[in-house]
Every structure is written in structure tokens, then in C-alpha cells.
Amino acid sequence: MFKRIIKGGNKKPSKSDTDDPSYNNPSGQRSSGSVTVNHASRAAAGPHSQPGRTLGAAAATTPLVLPPLTSVEPLPAFRDVPISERQTLFLRKLQICCIQLDFSDQMQSVREKEIKRQALMELVDFIQSGSGKITEQCQEEMIRMIGINVFRCLPPAAHENTGQEVTDPEEDEPYLDPFWPHLQLVYELLLRYVVSSDTDSKVAKRYIDHSFVFKLLSLFDSEDPREREYLKTIVHRIYGKFMVHRPFIRKAINNILYRFIYETERHSGIAELLEILGSIINGFALPMKEEHKLFLVRALLPLHKPKSTAVYHQQLSYCIIQFVEKDYKLADTVIRGLLKYWPLTNCQKEVLFLGELEEVLEATQTAEFQRCMVPLFRQIARCLNSSHFQVAERALFLWNNEHIVGLIAQNKNAVLPIIFEALEKNVNSHWNQAVHGLTVNVRKMLLEMDAELFDECQAQYAEKQGKAREVEELRELTWKRLTEAADDRGGDAMVVMG
């Protein structure tokens, strides 16, 4: 049967086959029809070239023309056919994999689904083994097949159907795409192709182009975490292998983040995109380009604003720290950005901000610290007095960091007067015993740091409290007089009416 298929491979395609445009196929071939490829850019091979010598080698023979697929039948394994027939078999297996099947109904097309799954597994093994090299025609058709399978309309997200807020994915059952058993094999095939040492990026970039990469990035909004994980790995590998795509990938991710921040505040793959960016930022050369600093200010720092920050905060914090560690002069910009987006009513978010702030301060030098220490410690003082014990406790933990204590010690004349009142209030009136105990320890540390300055602050605090008591007594006295006057007027009015 397979010989009959091969014999039919040289049949001239019908006009209907060549005129029917297909999805993401510049040669104008149908997804399940003829796979003739004859690009003008593919010149005839020289006398010393060998067909299929590497993934990047141009085919020395005339491109294969296969007839349209009329039925789904099992094909032999690559090891069961001669080497000279494997390229044709590869294209035939790709044809089968281009067939669209309904995976929402497990009982429908069971035989066809199994044949397609076997074909995908054999394609993955063929690429991964490296034993059989594929021609440019096979590469193009493989990328086209991958596009047909993975580039699709994503199902509506849960919040689109119910109107619910985006929540932490760890708290809810993740959405599992019924197409995944086959999608996983398609993604695995793409990954193996990209990471293969036989893949020539100069040739592969013709098929993995900007349009292909853009569509991959749009799939990060999938609710299935397994798909996002594969996409993260593949895009990261593409970024590393195809230098020509690097500016485009950064810009495309930036645009996704901008739309999330300033328009929708809804996207399933922000955490994965930030993981990719973390690796990219780690590789930035110094001195850092201005465009990278603008990205920090315009995209990363505003990502602290959305309500769903907790979902991706760990990855975001890593990106921010990478910037500060690469260029310590950015510490002031980062700290002021955190203060700008500091939450007012979300206590759990405040705890996250305090943790990130500690990491930033660890990489901060004295000069940058001095530029922002006044507004910074005003905010820390507010956190110290928070009625939510976790916020107050996390703020007090900053004094467990030796580097931060060192920065405070160098600038104690500016810092201590700002936070002294907050510490005294905690000692006198905070309801939580753990916060009370930590405050006493911090207060003792500051006393040992500079007893004279501590006494001055205590005297100023006592004076301020005395004035506040006087004002309060005066206010109460005024209200008392007003009350008495009102009572007297009320009594006179009753006498007159009587």
C-alpha cells in the first residue's frame, strides 16, 4: 500500500489544489491537500550538495508533490522504510497531522485520533533522534502543520463567563484543555525542532518568522497551565537561537503587558511572560540601554498596580531585582515606583511589597538610599502602625537585615525621627503581642545605635504628645461650654413658651 502512495506522489496536482489558499501558508497550498513547495528563494543545489544533509541544507532534488489526503490510514514507521523514502513518509505523516479533529467528544473519530497521535509521536522521535535529517520542504510543511494545530481561538476564560475576579491559580482547579493530549505532542515537536543542533537558524527563520512568533505569544492567554509552560520554554529557546527575533519578541511582550496594565487587567500568562523576561534581563549588557530602563519604568513598575499582582508577583520581583543588581543607580527609581503603587487597602499585597522592598534595599547603595529615604520611611512608619499584624510584623522584620540596618545607621539622624513616633505607638497600644515584642527589640536596637539621638527623639515625642493633650483638653472644654450654652438657651425657651 505504501508503494502505491509513493507512486502516486508524482501526480500533477489539480487546479483546485493549487488555487485554494491555506492558513499561514505563503505557497497557497491546502492544509490537507497538495504540499508542493517551490519558493523562488530556494535555488538549485550545487553539484556537491546532499539532499537532507542537515536541517538547514537545501533540497537538491525537485520538491515532492503529494496527492491530497482522502482517508486517514496508518503509515509505516520510519525504521521500516528505506532511507530514500523517509522524506516522503515524513510529508505524509505531516498531512495526517494537519487533519482537524473534535477532541471535545472522546467517542468521535477514535481511530483517526489514534492514527494522528501515533504519527505525531513518530515525528517527535524522528526529530529528536537526529538520525534522519529533513529537507527545507519538510521543515516548511512541519511549521505549517504546527500552526494549523496550535493557532486557534482560545475558549472563553472563566471570568468571561462568570464575571468573577482573577484569582490565584493555586486556589482554583486549573482549566484542562481536552485538545491537550495531541497539542502536547505538537508543542514537543516544535520544541525539539528549535533546540536541535541540526536546525540552521538562517534557514528556520524563514518559517519561524515574526508572524509565527506573534501568534505563539498570543497563546499565552490560554488558561491551561500545561500549554503556557510549553510556550514559555519554546519562546525562550527561540529568543536564544534566533537573534533576529529578539527585539521583536521584547516589543511584543511589552505590548501584551501594556494592554494588561492599562486596558484589561486580565491575562492568564503574565507570570510565564515575566519568567521569560527575567532570563532576558539577566543577559542585558552593561551599560544598560535606555530602552531597557524605559521598559522598567513603563511596564514592570506599573505591573504592581493591578489587583491580581499576587498571581505573578514572584516573577515580577525577580525582574525588578535583576535591574537593580545590574545597575545599582536604578534603586531610587524602583523604590519610588513601589511607593507610587503602594496598596492602601490590600494588606496581603502590602506584605508582598515589603518583601520586595527588602530585596531591593539589599542591593541599594548609600547614595541611592539617601535620595529616597524620607518618603520610604514615612511609608514604613505607616506599615509599622498597621492594625493588620502581618503588615506590621513584616515591616519590623526589615531590621533583621544587616545591610538595611547599616543604611539606617549611616542615616540615623534622618530616619529615626520619622519612625520614632510609630514605634512608640506600637509599644503603648498595639493589640498584637508579637508586634509589641518586635517593636521593643527594634526600639532597643535604635537606642544602642545612638542614645543621645534617641533621647532627643523621645523628648520631641513627649513634647508633641503634651501639645496634643492640651489641644484635646481645649477641644473638650469648648464642647462642654457649647453644651452648657445650648442647655441654658433651651431652658429659657421653655420658660417663655410656658
Side-chain angles (χ1 to χ4, degrees):
M1 176 185 171
F2 180 68
K3 289 183 178 178
R4 290 203 302 273
I5 293 174
I6 301 299
K7 268 188 179 179
N10 291 324
K11 288 171 61 180
K12 183 177 179 182
S14 65
K15 184 177 179 182
S16 62
D17 291 335
T18 56
D19 290 345
D20 187 15
S22 66
Y23 178 70
N24 197 24
N25 183 13
S27 58
Q29 307 304 322
R30 292 194 309 186
S31 62
S32 61
S34 172
V35 291
T36 304
V37 180
N38 191 13
H39 282 280
S41 62
R42 194 173 293 159
H48 300 293
S49 62
Q50 300 176 13
R53 183 171 55 84
T54 65
L55 290 181
T61 58
T62 304
L64 295 169
V65 182
L66 301 182
L69 194 66
T70 56
S71 63
V72 180
E73 298 295 336
L75 295 175
F78 286 107
R79 64 178 178 273
D80 297 335
V81 300
I83 295 176
S84 60
E85 297 177 359
R86 288 181 181 176
Q87 301 299 320
T88 304
L89 179 58
F90 192 94
L91 291 173
R92 273 299 185 186
K93 289 183 182 291
L94 289 176
Q95 270 191 320
I96 289 177
C97 295
C98 285
I99 297 173
Q100 301 288 291
L101 300 170
D102 183 10
F103 290 91
S104 59
D105 184 355
Q106 295 183 358
M107 303 306 296
Q108 183 179 342
S109 307
V110 176
R111 177 175 171 275
E112 288 81 358
K113 289 175 185 176
E114 180 59 23
I115 293 173
K116 180 177 180 180
R117 188 183 70 84
Q118 287 293 337
L120 283 168
M121 290 177 65
E122 290 172 11
L123 289 170
V124 171
D125 292 339
F126 189 79
I127 296 294
Q128 188 173 3
S129 64
S131 57
K133 309 299 187 281
I134 63 173
T135 62
E136 284 190 35
Q137 179 184 4
C138 290
Q139 290 180 68
E140 180 171 15
E141 293 306 315
M142 180 177 65
I143 296 301
R144 186 174 71 87
M145 180 277 292
I146 291 169
I148 288 171
N149 280 276
V150 303
F151 299 148
R152 65 205 190 281
C153 292
L154 296 173
H159 60 75
E160 293 176 3
N161 290 330
T162 63
Q164 295 176 349
E165 293 292 335
V166 179
T167 56
D168 190 333
E170 295 182 359
E171 296 179 1
D172 297 327
E173 287 295 324
Y175 168 77
L176 301 178
D177 195 328
F179 285 74
W180 182 247
H182 283 68
L183 280 177
Q184 180 181 11
L185 292 171
V186 177
Y187 278 123
E188 186 67 23
L189 178 63
L190 176 57
L191 178 60
R192 293 304 163 194
Y193 172 69
V194 171
V195 303
S196 172
S197 58
D198 293 321
T199 302
D200 185 348
S201 60
K202 293 180 181 177
V203 174
K205 71 180 182 182
R206 300 175 193 170
Y207 317 120
I208 300 180
D209 55 11
H210 284 180
S211 174
F212 186 88
V213 173
F214 178 79
K215 291 171 183 174
L216 276 182
L217 289 171
S218 68
L219 291 172
F220 273 89
D221 203 15
S222 168
E223 285 204 303
D224 193 324
R226 303 169 299 181
E227 182 170 13
R228 298 199 303 269
E229 193 67 23
Y230 258 100
L231 286 166
K232 178 186 70 176
T233 304
I234 291 169
V235 171
H236 189 217
R237 294 289 189 168
I238 290 174
Y239 187 91
K241 195 177 191 81
F242 300 87
M243 293 188 67
V244 67
H245 290 333
R246 290 183 180 182
F248 176 80
I249 290 174
R250 291 198 302 268
K251 185 176 181 181
I253 293 177
N254 288 1
N255 290 337
I256 292 173
L257 297 181
Y258 292 151
R259 188 163 184 266
F260 170 73
I261 296 165
Y262 300 110
E263 294 181 18
T264 64
E265 288 197 11
R266 298 183 185 278
H267 196 284
S268 300
I270 298 299
E272 287 80 8
L273 289 171
L274 288 172
E275 280 193 59
I276 297 172
L277 287 172
S279 297
I280 293 173
I281 295 165
N282 194 31
F284 282 166
L286 296 176
M288 200 174 290
K289 293 180 181 178
E290 193 63 29
E291 67 169 288
H292 301 329
K293 296 179 182 178
L294 287 174
F295 167 66
L296 169 67
V297 173
R298 294 177 179 176
L300 290 185
L301 289 173
L303 275 173
H304 291 86
K305 183 180 179 181
K307 295 178 181 178
S308 57
T309 303
V311 175
Y312 55 79
H313 184 265
Q314 182 180 352
Q315 294 83 358
L316 174 60
S317 179
Y318 177 77
C319 292
I320 297 290
I321 302 306
Q322 288 291 306
F323 268 101
V324 179
E325 289 180 348
K326 280 198 167 285
D327 186 353
Y328 65 88
K329 292 182 181 178
L330 292 171
D332 175 49
T333 302
V334 168
I335 291 172
R336 290 183 182 275
L338 285 173
L339 296 177
K340 178 180 179 181
Y341 297 106
W342 200 276
L344 299 177
T345 58
N346 190 331
C347 296
Q348 294 302 326
K349 200 170 172 183
E350 274 195 277
V351 173
L352 294 176
F353 273 51
L354 286 165
E356 182 179 351
L357 180 62
E358 180 175 358
E359 292 189 68
V360 173
L361 286 173
E362 277 196 69
T364 303
Q365 304 299 317
T366 303
E368 284 65 43
F369 179 79
Q370 289 173 343
R371 293 193 187 101
C372 61
M373 61 184 178
V374 173
L376 170 62
F377 277 90
R378 283 176 181 163
Q379 181 59 59
I380 291 175
R382 286 191 285 271
C383 292
L384 291 173
N385 287 147
S386 173
S387 58
H388 195 293
F389 79 97
Q390 290 180 335
V391 175
E393 191 174 57
R394 190 64 189 83
L396 288 162
F397 282 157
L398 293 174
W399 273 265
N400 289 339
N401 189 299
E402 291 183 7
H403 182 71
I404 296 175
V405 171
L407 291 173
I408 293 172
Q410 293 173 26
N411 302 276
K412 56 183 180 292
N413 290 330
V415 173
L416 186 53
I418 297 173
I419 62 170
F420 188 87
E421 182 175 351
L423 294 172
E424 291 298 303
K425 285 182 178 179
N426 275 6
V427 169
N428 294 327
S429 59
H430 201 284
W431 66 272
N432 187 272
Q433 289 300 314
V435 171
H436 184 274
L438 288 169
T439 304
V440 170
N441 292 339
V442 170
R443 191 173 179 275
K444 182 180 179 182
M445 186 187 301
L446 294 173
L447 175 60
E448 294 172 353
M449 191 180 292
D450 191 331
E452 185 177 347
L453 177 61
F454 188 91
D455 291 339
E456 288 179 14
C457 291
Q458 196 166 31
Q460 291 173 1
Y461 175 74
E463 183 180 352
K464 184 178 180 180
Q465 289 296 103
K467 290 180 179 179
R469 281 194 295 271
E470 290 178 3
V471 170
E472 181 64 20
E473 290 172 1
L474 181 60
R475 186 182 69 84
E476 290 181 358
L477 180 60
T478 302
W479 272 110
K480 184 178 180 181
R481 289 174 178 173
L482 287 171
T483 303
E484 291 175 353
D487 290 343
D488 291 343
R489 290 186 179 180
D492 293 342
M494 289 180 66
V495 169
V496 170
M497 290 179 66

